[in-house]
Amino acid sequence: MSEVTQAVSLPPSTGKIGHRFRALLRSPSGLTGAILIAVLLVLTVLSFLDLLPYGPLHQDPPSRLLAPSADHLFGTDQFGRDVFSRVAAGVANSALISIVAVAFATVIGTFAGLVAGFFRGVSDGVIGGVTNVLFAFPPLLLALALVSVFDRNWLTIAIAIAIVYIPIFIRVTRGPVLSLREIEYVKAATSTGQSRMMVMFKHVLPNITSIIIIQVTLSLSWAVLTEASLSFLGLGTPPPAPSLGSMIFEARSLVHVAPWTMVFPGLVVVALVVGLNLLGDGLRDVLDPRNRGKR
Amino acid sequence: MTFRTIAHNAVVRRIAGALVTLLGVAVFVFIMLRAIPGNQITAGLGTEAAALTPAQQAALERYYGLDQPLFIQFFSWLGNIFTGNLGFSSRAQESVLNLTAHSLPVTFELAVLSIVLALVIGIPLGMLSASRPDSPRDAFGQFVGLAGLSIPAFLLATTLLSVLASSIGFNPNGQGHASLFENPALNLQQMLLPALVLGFGIAAPIMRTTRTAVLEVRSDDFIRTARAKGVPPRRLQARHVLRNALVPIVTMTGLQFGYLLGGAVVVEQIFSIPGIGRQVLLGLQQKEYALVQSTVLVIALSFVIVNLLTDLLYRVIDPRVRAS
């Protein structure tokens, strides 16, 4: 793949976080995204604290395939399990896997991108080579192949997804770092005798944080989609643990008798991804000076 | 032409880079599949593997060359690939080369149809959005783009399939795959829904890229000059703006096309389309790792070739790339 020559964006390093956050909430897309994600985070927390109305695995055969009601907000499935509780637990599962995956990808990818762009030379060649190799696979296929290598559980799925997204962070970081290393204050910091590592973390990294924050949000939405697709294919979170993708897969045969078993998990996956995309767009508007006044 | 000038030629360097990447891909795939618990022998035998005596095990290992050092195994695999021996699928009782020769064109057709649909939706929508930023029509374009980015392909595919099959009885994919050459009418019907699902998803990045690129080009001086000279708006859009916005759009299209070769696995699976993605998935499910190993390599090879062609293509479109 050719070098992606990015224009340097140097977001101002001053500016308060609170101020940025308010600016984010003022944009309609940022606000909508933040609300969606906040609601879904509440579901995640409820699920982790075991505060859901029913256990997500609790079967109650007499009340199978009930339509949505006050007792069962999203209805029940073919085993009498509460769809709302399963959806909430599925969101928690998605959130856990995606957050861990993106955290790995961010830390490793950003560090590798920093090293490649700042030190150049051999490290740049090696890191660039690995990036090219990982980029040569369609992401979902790479994730599929990787999950079959490991014993499947939430952590190995997260690691597989992380490996897929590491090269994106490398590429997004390396470009701006290449230009930053030529800027006077970075050269000055180097000439004062600080170690190069120190300069890299203290003077280069802070200047690319906004790029990384935007990338984290967008990667989270891809990670959610990847995890859902993997479990739809039966290669994600092993059943009976609730996962949004496998719930939709199981609902295929029920869609005419009990459409709610597909509609609610489907809507929630879309809400999760829409929320993250909107938040990413909103953050880009607020944080990336290149976009100011353009939209 | 001396060796030096050839070695400095951008196209030659680009191709050399692609070859290095492919070697890396081969190493990566090889290591990944070696890391799978169990090996080719035990995976092929399933539960019967436990009944093997150590002597039988050793004989089988010798037969498959698994007693050789890893790097010799790697190069003998690579050597086989170069001579067209991609391995043998014991379930299908067919060589992987034959299987791939059937599945790759199917995926290729699906990818072409999806990309055409994506371009037909994405470019006009992007231009519409860019024609008046922050207006209702921009909001509409952005909304469609957001939907394309956010609705998982498997959800859209499953919904379309069950709704259309039950309401109007349209389910051409239920009756076994028809090849494009034997039964083109049925084949195109079978490709319609999957191509729509994939095309809708890809239309989103193409729409966004178009919008950004058009907005960027429109603020350039030469557009203002052209407008001042009285170039009619329609002609200005097509000849001046779109032509110059084409490089990022072509890059994005090439990238998405590459992703489809293999990345369409979910849609292929839902619509029972015997494409290359599904070949990998079946291989993984049935633990036929030789099949997976070679197929994944073929997919990566196609992806690298598509990227290379994209690069060369925008050298043709944009003289500025050639100059730099």
Side-chain angles (χ1 to χ4, degrees):
Chain A
M1 213 174 285
S2 69
E3 295 284 293
V4 184
T5 40
Q6 278 172 309
V8 215
S9 72
L10 295 177
S13 51
T14 53
K16 298 199 176 57
I17 293 172
H19 175 74
R20 297 268 179 80
F21 188 68
R22 276 195 297 278
L24 173 70
L25 295 187
R26 264 199 300 275
S27 78
S29 63
L31 182 65
T32 320
I35 292 174
L36 279 173
I37 296 307
V39 170
L40 293 166
L41 273 180
V42 169
L43 287 185
T44 306
V45 171
L46 286 181
S47 167
F48 280 127
L49 295 180
D50 233 351
L51 290 175
L52 297 173
Y54 299 87
L57 300 181
H58 174 71
Q59 302 192 1
D60 182 19
S63 50
R64 52 198 287 273
L65 298 178
L66 292 180
S69 65
D71 275 347
H72 297 281
L73 219 48
F74 290 178
T76 61
D77 69 2
Q78 72 274 34
F79 301 112
R81 296 176 298 194
D82 180 48
V83 175
F84 175 78
S85 304
R86 286 183 67 73
V87 165
V91 170
N93 178 58
S94 272
L96 176 69
I97 292 180
S98 310
I99 291 171
V100 172
V102 173
F104 272 127
T106 308
V107 172
I108 299 172
T110 305
F111 181 71
L114 272 170
V115 169
F118 193 64
F119 289 94
R120 304 296 313 268
V122 182
S123 57
D124 194 17
V126 172
I127 293 169
V130 173
T131 314
N132 283 338
V133 168
L134 288 176
F135 264 130
F137 299 95
L140 183 59
L141 196 80
L142 182 57
L144 269 176
L146 286 168
V147 287
S148 61
V149 172
F150 306 123
D151 267 340
R152 249 185 309 130
N153 57 48
W154 72 265
L155 185 61
T156 54
I157 296 168
I159 292 173
I161 296 176
I163 295 176
V164 177
Y165 293 117
I166 285 173
I168 296 180
F169 279 93
I170 296 182
R171 203 155 275 185
V172 163
T173 318
R174 182 181 169 271
V177 172
L178 275 182
S179 343
L180 277 166
R181 78 197 283 268
E182 304 301 333
I183 286 178
E184 267 67 30
Y185 72 89
V186 175
K187 286 186 171 167
T190 318
S191 67
T192 57
Q194 298 182 46
S195 80
R196 309 255 292 153
M197 258 315 173
M198 186 84 157
V199 176
M200 186 178 91
F201 282 116
K202 261 181 70 180
H203 300 285
V204 179
L205 182 60
N207 283 295
I208 53 169
T209 40
S210 40
I211 301 172
I212 296 169
I213 292 172
I214 295 163
Q215 196 56 46
V216 163
T217 325
L218 295 176
S219 303
L220 276 173
S221 78
W222 299 330
V224 168
L225 281 178
T226 309
E227 190 279 327
S229 306
L230 285 177
S231 35
F232 182 87
L233 290 173
L235 288 166
T237 319
S243 146
L244 296 170
S246 57
M247 289 177 75
I248 292 169
F249 181 79
E250 286 168 19
R252 285 180 322 155
S253 49
L254 298 170
V255 73
H256 301 298
V257 258
W260 53 88
T261 53
M262 182 180 283
V263 170
F264 290 111
L267 281 179
V268 169
V269 173
V270 174
L272 194 52
V273 182
V274 165
L276 289 166
N277 274 324
L278 286 176
L279 208 55
D281 288 350
L283 282 170
R284 194 191 338 238
D285 291 349
V286 177
L287 294 177
D288 191 341
R290 273 183 297 173
N291 285 325
R292 278 193 199 137
K294 250 190 210 168
R295 293 170 58 108
Chain B
M1 221 195 281
T2 64
F3 176 75
R4 272 188 92 84
T5 50
I6 295 174
H8 280 91
N9 181 303
V11 177
V12 173
R13 289 176 61 142
R14 188 65 190 73
I15 294 173
L19 287 175
V20 173
T21 299
L22 277 175
L23 184 67
V25 167
V27 173
F28 182 79
V29 171
F30 182 80
I31 293 173
M32 184 165 65
L33 285 148
R34 286 303 119 133
I36 289 181
N39 57 32
Q40 290 164 347
I41 306 168
T42 46
L45 289 175
T47 48
E48 290 165 41
L52 288 176
T53 65
Q56 284 171 321
Q57 177 94 24
L60 281 171
E61 277 180 10
R62 208 168 320 123
Y63 178 74
Y64 285 111
L66 292 177
D67 56 341
Q68 301 283 326
L70 269 186
F71 81 100
I72 292 190
Q73 288 186 37
F74 174 72
F75 282 108
S76 75
W77 171 60
L78 209 58
N80 279 334
I81 298 259
F82 273 117
T83 54
N85 177 5
L86 302 186
F88 189 79
S89 160
S90 43
R91 312 261 165 172
Q93 283 299 311
E94 214 172 331
S95 72
V96 176
L97 186 66
N98 264 345
L99 288 173
T100 308
H102 283 114
S103 60
L104 193 58
V106 173
T107 298
F108 192 78
E109 185 201 344
L110 179 60
V112 170
L113 292 174
S114 312
I115 285 289
V116 169
L117 283 174
L119 290 175
V120 169
I121 306 172
I123 293 186
L125 206 59
M127 292 183 69
L128 182 80
S129 262
S131 66
R132 200 170 296 160
D134 296 320
S135 66
R137 65 170 85 157
D138 186 21
F140 168 75
Q142 303 255 26
F143 180 79
V144 177
L146 182 66
L149 280 184
S150 308
I151 300 179
F154 67 84
L155 184 63
L156 187 60
T158 315
T159 313
L160 270 180
L161 194 61
S162 48
V163 169
L164 289 181
S166 69
S167 60
I168 57 170
F170 181 76
N171 185 15
N173 303 79
Q175 43 188 307
H177 179 73
S179 98
L180 180 61
F181 298 105
E182 282 157 21
N183 191 347
L186 181 59
N187 174 276
L188 288 178
Q189 282 183 44
Q190 290 181 334
M191 289 293 186
L192 177 68
L193 289 182
L196 262 179
V197 170
L198 291 170
F200 180 61
I202 297 167
I206 289 183
M207 174 263 160
R208 289 187 159 203
T209 311
T210 307
R211 180 180 180 277
T212 314
V214 166
L215 283 180
E216 209 136 283
V217 173
R218 263 197 354 181
S219 60
D220 280 350
D221 288 341
F222 72 93
I223 297 293
R224 214 182 320 152
T225 311
R227 190 175 290 141
K229 273 167 55 186
V231 176
R234 208 169 278 272
R235 191 184 153 87
L236 186 79
Q237 281 292 328
R239 290 288 289 275
H240 297 257
V241 177
L242 190 59
R243 174 87 212 245
N244 281 286
L246 220 49
V247 172
I249 300 174
V250 168
T251 311
M252 181 51 87
T253 308
L255 198 64
Q256 296 294 335
F257 186 82
Y259 281 156
L260 281 177
L261 305 171
V265 48
V266 184
V267 171
E268 288 179 358
Q269 173 73 1
I270 293 173
F271 290 101
S272 319
I273 290 180
I276 196 140
R278 196 149 174 262
Q279 183 171 317
V280 175
L281 188 65
L282 286 175
L284 286 172
Q285 284 167 345
Q286 299 172 345
K287 302 199 185 309
E288 288 206 90
Y289 296 129
L291 174 71
V292 175
Q293 189 165 313
S294 303
T295 314
V296 169
L297 193 64
V298 169
I299 291 171
L301 173 70
S302 338
F303 187 72
V304 171
I305 291 176
V306 169
N307 276 337
L308 195 61
L309 290 178
T310 316
D311 259 24
L312 299 180
L313 183 62
Y314 66 64
R315 265 167 221 285
V316 177
I317 302 175
D318 192 345
R320 284 170 298 189
V321 180
R322 255 174 291 163
S324 69

